């Protein structure tokens, strides 16, 4: 069987064509997904391997994409951690953590969580892998220690991350203890996903761009590094992703990852200069999918031209597919990438 | 009278000491402000020169700061524009635009707005200027065309700016017409503030960092440039500010501004390399004000060391003072800056 273009790019090798997948390619923008959500909550889907499998395969069946990504949520480990997790309707669908981490003692009280505590995720991975039957590789994933900590401390989404940084600056020992706990947990969880069948991994540090480089280096990098180090023991490629990371790209690459994910703010060739020895994933603006075809094609072309056919590029958005996106726009992007835009 | 350290720095001249002021230095974090808010809404304060004056002076009386900034809201021009503006309680206090711009025809329908339509702001400026009696200079301000357009189109705050970018990409003529209208309006409004007594101006392009550099250049820069060009006819210094602008700093400086405001993500000396011939304002992380004193001092010291006494630096936060901030933390920052941290 020929190597998949996605895995070739992950490994820095020239691929048959530039591989494409989309962060949040399974989600609300698809009618098939909304149908399932009528009868099952987000957590129901995550908890039920058959549903997680079905939702994971929806975009694989619909689009000519080069990878599947497990349907799950980065915050699922908060359930066995005893933090509580729900996605109430009518709050933009964002997560709510019922018992956030407020003081250092809350960190000490966290139970040990092992991958088996998310057995349903591992079962979903095995089932998806079987159903994919080798069509495309399957990406497993987890939240990075910082992004997990920000949710655990803020109790949900945040704009300013005041409580996260207050905790970080005021009680650095408890902070490092928390991130170290998360790093081990996440690393082991990623390894277990590979053992269950995942062909590659992505570490989502979505909100890390709220930090200065100095704070990233001091408070976060060692823990991301540890999580990736453990994950790499499973010998599959790891993609390391964040947004608003222009200043952090070099440090993130130092922390680890075979491929670094980049948002749309930085031209992809300029970003790549910060980690020339790794692969790059990105970086179309998700809102470009709302543009007329000419504009969309021009933006895809700009990325392709900046990459100039260099091996190690995975085409993706700079962040997840936005819920109001028209699925047809994804077809167009794939066509444009295939045609070299 | 000796030149104020703030104006000296604006003009690239060595000051007696590094000037300090804080974006949103008048606001909810001050008990004196919350007292006034018990009897007056945000719009009441803006509409009543005596109240706007009182609130503007609160931080000047409380802190050893080197500049006052007019209390107003960047969206006030939306009232005479007929877009409707309110700040409902219990939505995080964010603005709501009742009749957002949805289609190109909405742009054509916008009435001409002249500075006299915000006469109450100009009256506030004159009153503040009189009450300040030369203690410190007064900064007038306005929202930049892009940031105003984003509120006008989204109908309020946004995370993804989908509608803004959809409008920009899909109907570029109407977009340019809208931003051009805003540029003229904002430029004239800034000039009128100077005529009423403002000693310097700041153009807030707070959300412009959601754009790639290419989109900034195509869709925004000419209009920011025009607004600043008009403002500069009043012959006072202009500060040009945005957040998440690492990739845009050079383009923003090209568009104009004697001083470029920088958020905390970019080390100030690295940012300054992008516009060596201008001044720089910034760039302490607003969440550093929640840190213990040693950490806060270290972060102030880092900025002072990176600047290294170079003329043209105005110390400020990288974004506005956050509502839960303790006022004492601002005193400490001022002390640290005066002591050279």
């Amino acid at each position: 069987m020929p190597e998949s273009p996605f895995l070739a790019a992950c490994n820095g090798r020239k691929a048959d064509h530039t591989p494409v997948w989309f962060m949040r390619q399974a989600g609300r923008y698809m009618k098939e997904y909304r149908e399932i959500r009528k009868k099952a909550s987000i957590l129901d889907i995550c908890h039920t391997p058959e549903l997680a499998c079905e939702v994971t395969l929806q975009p694989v069946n619909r689009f000519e994409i080069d990878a599947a990504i497990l349907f799950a949520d980065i915050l699922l480990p908060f359930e066995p951690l005893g933090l509580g997790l729900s996605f109430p309707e009518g709050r933009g669908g964002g997560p709510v953590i019922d018992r956030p981490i407020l003081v250092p003692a809350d960190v000490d009280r966290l139970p040990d969580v092992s991958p088996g505590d998310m057995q349903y995720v591992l079962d979903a991975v095995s089932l998806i892998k079987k159903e994919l039957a080798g069509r495309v590789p399957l990406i497993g994933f987890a939240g990075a220690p910082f992004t997990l900590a920000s949710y655990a401390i803020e109790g949900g989404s945040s704009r300013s991350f005041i409580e996260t940084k207050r905790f970080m600056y005021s009680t650095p020992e408890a902070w490092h203890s928390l991130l170290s706990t998360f790093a081990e947990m996440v690393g082991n969880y990623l390894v277990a996903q590979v053992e269950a069948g995942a062909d590659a991994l992505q570490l989502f540090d979505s909100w890390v761009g709220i930090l200065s480089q100095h704070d990233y280096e001091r408070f976060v990098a060692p823990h991301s590094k540890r999580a990736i180090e453990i994950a790499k023991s499973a010998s599959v490629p790891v993609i390391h992703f964040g947004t608003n990371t222009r200043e952090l790209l070099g440090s993130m690459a130092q922390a680890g990852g075979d491929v670094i994910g980049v948002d749309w703010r930085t031209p992809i060739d300029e970003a790549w200069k910060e980690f020339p020895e790794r692969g790059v994933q990105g970086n179309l603006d998700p809102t470009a999918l709302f543009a007329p075809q000419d504009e969309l094609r021009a933006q895809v072309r700009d990325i392709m031209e900046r990459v100039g056919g260099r091996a190690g590029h995975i085409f993706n958005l700079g962040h997840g597919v936005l819920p109001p996106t028209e699925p047809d726009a994804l077809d167009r992007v794939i066509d444009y990438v295939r045609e070299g835009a």
Side-chain angles (χ1 to χ4, degrees), chain A:
Chain A
M1 198 177 82
E3 189 179 42
S4 98
F6 170 78
L7 291 173
C10 282
N11 291 312
R13 284 194 289 274
K14 198 85 188 166
D16 261 5
H17 61 257
T18 298
V20 185
W21 71 280
F22 300 97
M23 288 184 277
R24 279 203 188 280
Q25 63 191 17
R28 271 196 284 162
Y29 78 100
M30 285 187 79
K31 141 175 126 294
E32 299 88 329
Y33 176 84
R34 294 194 300 272
E35 278 303 312
I36 293 202
R37 285 283 281 104
K38 284 180 188 167
K39 54 185 187 186
S41 71
I42 293 170
L43 285 175
D44 288 341
I45 299 174
C46 294
H47 290 156
T48 313
E50 293 71 25
L51 289 177
C53 176
E54 185 177 347
V55 166
T56 298
L57 293 181
Q58 285 173 344
V60 178
N61 295 331
R62 168 74 171 74
F63 305 105
E64 296 270 330
I65 44 180
D66 295 288
I69 182 163
L70 167 69
F71 184 88
D73 190 90
I74 60 165
L75 303 184
L76 292 173
F78 284 11
E79 296 185 306
L81 282 168
L83 299 173
L85 175 65
S86 57
F87 294 86
E89 300 292 330
R91 289 188 39 150
V96 171
I97 288 74
D98 304 316
R99 293 173 292 283
I101 289 173
L102 303 174
V103 294
D106 294 334
V107 178
D108 298 334
R109 267 198 297 273
L110 290 175
D112 277 335
V113 164
S114 73
D117 294 315
M118 285 85 73
Q119 185 60 43
Y120 56 88
V121 171
L122 307 177
D123 291 344
V125 169
S126 303
L127 185 59
I128 296 162
K129 184 71 181 169
K130 182 165 151 274
E131 295 290 324
L132 276 172
R135 275 187 286 169
V136 291
L138 174 61
I139 306 169
F141 72 91
F146 172 80
T147 291
L148 292 182
S150 78
Y151 279 106
I153 294 170
E154 301 288 340
S157 305
S158 176
R159 258 180 187 262
S160 304
F161 296 84
I162 294 174
E163 297 309 325
T164 304
K165 291 195 191 167
R166 193 204 300 265
F167 198 100
M168 184 174 94
Y169 292 139
S170 306
T171 52
E173 268 189 53
W175 171 267
H176 283 295
S177 168
L178 176 63
L179 264 74
S180 164
T181 299
F182 283 176
E184 298 291 323
M185 177 185 78
V186 158
N188 294 332
Y189 178 46
L190 289 170
V191 168
Q193 291 182 39
V194 175
E195 287 166 354
D199 302 293
L201 297 167
Q202 179 157 320
L203 190 68
F204 281 89
D205 213 353
S206 307
W207 309 136
V208 74
I210 197 75
L211 296 174
S212 69
Q213 192 198 5
H214 182 54
D215 283 352
Y216 179 77
E217 289 280 357
R218 290 191 287 168
F219 291 115
V220 176
H223 308 293
S224 297
K225 182 174 177 162
R226 177 67 184 141
I228 294 170
E229 195 171 76
I230 299 172
K232 282 301 291 180
S233 71
S235 303
V236 303
V238 173
I239 303 166
H240 190 182
F241 167 78
T243 65
N244 263 324
T245 54
R246 176 62 183 87
E247 215 62 57
L248 307 180
L249 290 170
S251 303
M252 286 176 69
Q254 282 297 313
D258 303 280
V259 176
I260 308 298
V262 178
D263 81 11
W264 66 93
R265 290 178 179 85
T266 313
I268 197 161
D269 50 335
E270 288 189 27
W272 211 345
K273 286 180 194 151
E274 302 287 334
F275 47 87
E277 75 295 355
R278 317 293 172 95
V280 66
Q281 178 172 280
N283 70 343
L284 185 68
D285 188 337
T287 63
L289 300 176
F290 300 94
Q293 298 193 27
D294 285 358
E295 172 65 32
L296 177 59
R297 183 193 283 268
Q299 292 203 26
V300 173
R301 184 188 300 129
D302 182 62
I303 293 168
M304 299 302 282
E305 285 178 357
R306 287 175 182 276
V307 169
R310 184 168 155 195
H313 174 222
I314 299 163
F315 196 100
N316 205 319
L317 305 181
H319 203 174
V321 179
L322 293 160
T325 304
E326 285 291 339
D328 288 355
L330 273 66
D331 284 315
R332 280 185 212 117
V333 169
I334 296 164
D335 286 349
Y336 299 155
V337 174
R338 294 279 191 275
E339 295 161 14

